[in-house]
Amino acid sequence: MTPKEILKKYYGYDNFRDQQEAIINQVLAKKDAVVVMPTGGGKSVCFQVPAMILDGITIVVSPLIALMKDQVDGLNANGIPAIALNSSMTADAQRIAINRINNNEIKLVYVAPERILSEGGRFLDYLLSLPINLFAIDEAHCVSMWGHDFRPEYRRLRPIIDAVGSVPVMALTATATPKVQQDIQKNLGMMGAEL
């Protein structure tokens, strides 16, 4: 399916907004992207549409369980198979989620940076064993000490991005001054990314 066909089928829209289509095409061409759009501007579509086109799984790093839940619930309601792996899940729920991922039933996996870095590296090893097609970092301003929501765990994503290898990386935020944008690119190793 084309990006526009995905947009129509899963979101009910005929056309993309603003820069969405250009960003999606950039990712489909295996290029990194830094996406700065206002809240409600459609940032999530920029990684959700490629996730449905590309083979494999999109990993979405998100800082808040409530944010993950909202996105996953919305995606599942639209027929897009997504799941969140977080600390609020029971052991049984985690096992079921992992089985669904292993059975190729899921296209997007939402996870907090703390979760990626947990279990002495075992969870990261598990993620790296998956056929990752895109690594999306939501609320990417959290990586910058100049940002309003600095989270030290975001600074530890760079080695993970390097370990994932040659998949595109997308950093998304609603609020980033030029200084914060530059900090995002530098700290995530995305100096070649288009803005």
Side-chain angles (χ1 to χ4, degrees):
M1 292 177 80
T2 68
K4 276 199 172 176
E5 288 168 341
I6 298 271
L7 186 73
K8 181 66 175 173
K9 178 177 178 179
Y10 293 103
Y11 300 89
Y13 297 113
D14 292 318
N15 294 299
F16 289 102
R17 298 197 296 197
D18 301 325
Q19 313 157 302
Q20 286 175 326
E21 193 167 19
I23 293 164
I24 289 165
N25 288 333
Q26 193 174 316
V27 170
L28 293 175
K30 307 268 189 237
K31 294 181 181 169
D32 295 344
V34 176
V35 180
V36 181
M37 286 184 188
T39 301
K43 288 185 297 297
S44 299
V45 167
C46 295
F47 62 82
Q48 291 168 356
V49 169
M52 293 301 291
I53 293 171
L54 297 168
D55 289 333
I57 293 171
T58 294
I59 303 296
V60 184
V61 177
S62 181
L64 301 170
I65 290 173
L67 194 62
M68 286 187 226
K69 182 174 177 357
D70 285 350
Q71 291 231 343
V72 167
D73 288 350
L75 287 166
N76 287 328
N78 286 347
I80 296 174
I83 208 151
L85 294 173
N86 59 55
S87 59
S88 73
M89 299 172 80
T90 65
D92 278 348
Q94 292 241 8
R95 198 167 30 259
I96 290 166
I98 297 288
N99 284 339
R100 290 188 68 206
I101 293 166
N102 292 342
N103 291 332
N104 299 316
E105 297 171 25
I106 300 295
K107 290 301 288 179
L108 294 108
V109 176
Y110 284 72
V111 63
E114 295 86 354
R115 179 74 175 106
I116 295 174
L117 300 162
S118 70
E119 299 177 25
R122 282 182 306 158
F123 187 73
L124 174 58
D125 289 343
Y126 169 69
L127 284 184
L128 294 177
S129 74
L130 299 174
I132 298 172
N133 58 29
L134 172 61
F135 198 80
I137 302 162
D138 205 5
E139 307 296 331
H141 59 272
C142 293
V143 80
S144 175
M145 293 205 321
W146 309 107
H148 61 278
D149 286 332
F150 175 61
R151 300 252 306 248
E153 299 82 11
Y154 266 71
R155 287 275 175 121
R156 295 173 60 197
L157 291 175
R158 173 73 185 273
I160 294 164
I161 291 167
D162 292 343
V164 168
S166 60
V167 302
V169 177
M170 183 182 292
L172 305 104
T173 182
T175 53
T177 63
K179 189 172 191 177
V180 170
Q181 287 177 39
Q182 189 174 28
D183 218 22
I184 289 169
Q185 288 181 284
K186 180 176 162 241
N187 286 303
L188 296 177
M190 300 175 68
M191 293 314 287
E194 295 183 34
L195 291 164

